[in-house]
Amino acid sequence: MGQPRGVSVRQLVKDLDLRVFNDDADLDKMIYTRDINRPGLALAGYLRYHPAERVQILGRTELSFLRGMNEKEKALRVFAFCSYQQTPCILITRGDTPPPVLLAEATSKHIPVLGTNMVTTRLTAAISNYLEERLAPETLQHGVLVDVYGIGILITGSSGIGKSETGLELIKRGHRLVADDAVVIRQISDESLVGSAPPLLQHLLEIRGLGVLNAMTLFGAGAVRTHKRISMVIHLEAWRENHAYDRLGIDMETMKILDLEVPKVTVPVRPGRNLAVIVEVAAMNFRLKGMGLDAAKAFTQELEQVIASQTGI
């Protein structure tokens, strides 16, 4: 098992424009979980199942409860709350300031105390979305990712099969490039995969004989996009004469990427086949299936009815 993905508190402060109340704290602490916590029970003294590894958010309710304690009780509760080294940071909402005893105890334990003017519910949503994106499981896939009629299509296949050339033809036909050669894929939810290009390869296409091309420079800003949800995979393979290819399209293949099964279509490649047109039609057919219109199933049902009527079954 490798090191889990994480984001530093310093990066969180920068990306969400947060204030830092204690500059001496360790801003290089790492956040490894997408969950967050409002530690009402912890401040009330119940720490048995306290999720200390999460970002701790103190809103108006928690601060009001803390300030209503006497000084001795407040010191004991804050000492216990800040005693976990794995706590990445404490966030104060609504432009409020942390109680001095909390700030002093957190600073002594090197826990950053941060602030924002956002209300608690809005901050909770913002941090959850941010951490979902930054900590999502990730993999690198060889292929070309294009946006065709709003459908994110990952084109895969062996080296030299024509993936980049197909992507180039699709761009010329008005579609958009997301990534060529290497696609960074993140699983942002239980049902969604989002692909993007590595920063070094953004907007670039490699065409054998021409070299590296910048799609945005050649075709304009409308020919590229930074990321796209992956809806289907089209796998290109060299034509095999004795192989039985699916001619009806009833049996749907899938390709497993991270924890999700993505619909997959295998397209045999040989001279004379216009791959860009095939990809376009595959995208349109995918949209129709999503609307409940499946030509292959309709044809099969009609064929079965004709056979049944002729045989008297």
Side-chain angles (χ1 to χ4, degrees):
M1 293 288 291
Q3 177 73 12
R5 297 189 68 211
V7 58
S8 69
V9 174
R10 188 182 307 278
Q11 192 66 43
L12 179 73
V13 169
K14 178 182 176 182
D15 292 342
L16 296 185
D17 193 25
L18 304 175
R19 294 194 303 276
V20 181
F21 289 108
N22 50 351
D23 293 322
D24 295 336
D26 183 9
L27 293 179
D28 292 320
K29 276 178 169 284
M30 299 298 293
I31 304 168
Y32 293 112
T33 177
R34 293 170 278 180
D35 298 319
I36 57 177
N37 184 52
R38 294 189 66 177
L41 284 175
L43 295 176
Y46 187 79
L47 293 161
R48 184 171 183 179
Y49 297 109
H50 174 55
E53 73 284 356
R54 302 180 185 179
V55 173
Q56 307 293 319
I57 296 181
L58 302 185
R60 177 187 291 170
T61 304
E62 291 82 7
L63 291 175
S64 175
F65 176 69
L66 193 59
R67 286 166 177 153
M69 300 177 185
N70 61 55
E71 293 303 317
K72 181 178 180 181
E73 186 180 24
K74 188 188 304 182
L76 288 173
R77 299 289 171 81
V78 166
F79 174 81
F81 173 58
C82 295
S83 63
Y84 297 86
Q85 291 296 323
Q86 64 266 44
T87 298
C89 62
I90 300 169
L91 252 166
I92 309 295
T93 66
R94 292 180 176 271
D96 211 334
T97 56
V101 63
L102 174 64
L103 183 61
E105 189 62 39
T107 302
S108 70
K109 299 293 176 35
H110 307 290
I111 300 173
V113 181
L114 315 175
T116 178
N117 291 326
M118 283 189 280
V119 298
T120 308
T121 52
R122 186 172 298 174
L123 175 69
T124 300
I127 289 186
S128 294
N129 292 336
Y130 175 82
L131 293 178
E132 281 282 352
E133 180 179 349
R134 293 299 300 266
L135 302 181
E138 181 180 295
T139 188
L140 189 68
Q141 175 72 42
H142 180 64
V144 176
L145 180 58
V146 286
D147 177 356
V148 180
Y149 299 128
I151 305 296
I153 298 179
L154 177 64
I155 303 174
T156 63
S158 59
S159 181
I161 197 70
K163 299 184 297 296
S164 297
E165 289 79 1
T166 303
L168 178 60
E169 178 64 23
L170 287 167
I171 295 170
K172 288 185 63 180
R173 297 173 70 91
H175 307 291
R176 293 189 283 180
L177 172 73
V178 182
D180 176 55
D181 191 47
V183 183
V184 178
I185 302 176
R186 294 186 179 93
Q187 183 177 335
I188 62 171
S189 72
D190 291 339
E191 299 179 351
S192 298
L193 295 171
V194 171
S196 61
L200 188 63
L201 301 180
Q202 201 167 52
H203 307 154
L204 299 182
L205 267 168
E206 181 195 355
I207 305 296
R208 284 173 172 80
L210 294 180
V212 177
L213 308 175
N214 189 308
M216 187 169 70
T217 303
L218 285 173
F219 302 101
V224 297
R225 62 178 302 164
T226 57
H227 61 277
K228 180 65 183 175
R229 177 179 175 180
I230 299 173
S231 298
M232 66 180 301
V233 175
I234 293 184
H235 181 71
L236 305 182
E237 68 172 33
W239 187 287
R240 291 176 285 170
E241 290 295 336
N242 298 322
H243 183 74
Y245 292 104
D246 184 10
R247 301 187 65 177
L248 291 180
I250 296 175
D251 299 326
M252 176 61 71
E253 292 182 83
T254 61
M255 174 179 175
K256 187 169 184 179
I257 303 177
L258 295 172
D259 292 330
L260 296 182
E261 297 287 346
V262 182
K264 173 185 172 184
V265 175
T266 299
V267 176
V269 177
R270 69 175 179 181
R273 303 202 85 192
N274 192 324
L275 296 178
V277 172
I278 291 174
V279 172
E280 284 183 330
V281 173
M284 289 187 285
N285 192 47
F286 182 85
R287 292 186 67 179
L288 285 174
K289 286 182 177 180
M291 297 165 63
L293 302 173
D294 192 326
K297 286 185 178 179
F299 171 74
T300 303
Q301 290 171 357
E302 290 180 9
L303 181 61
E304 289 174 349
Q305 291 173 1
V306 170
I307 294 173
S309 66
Q310 291 180 351
T311 57
I313 297 177

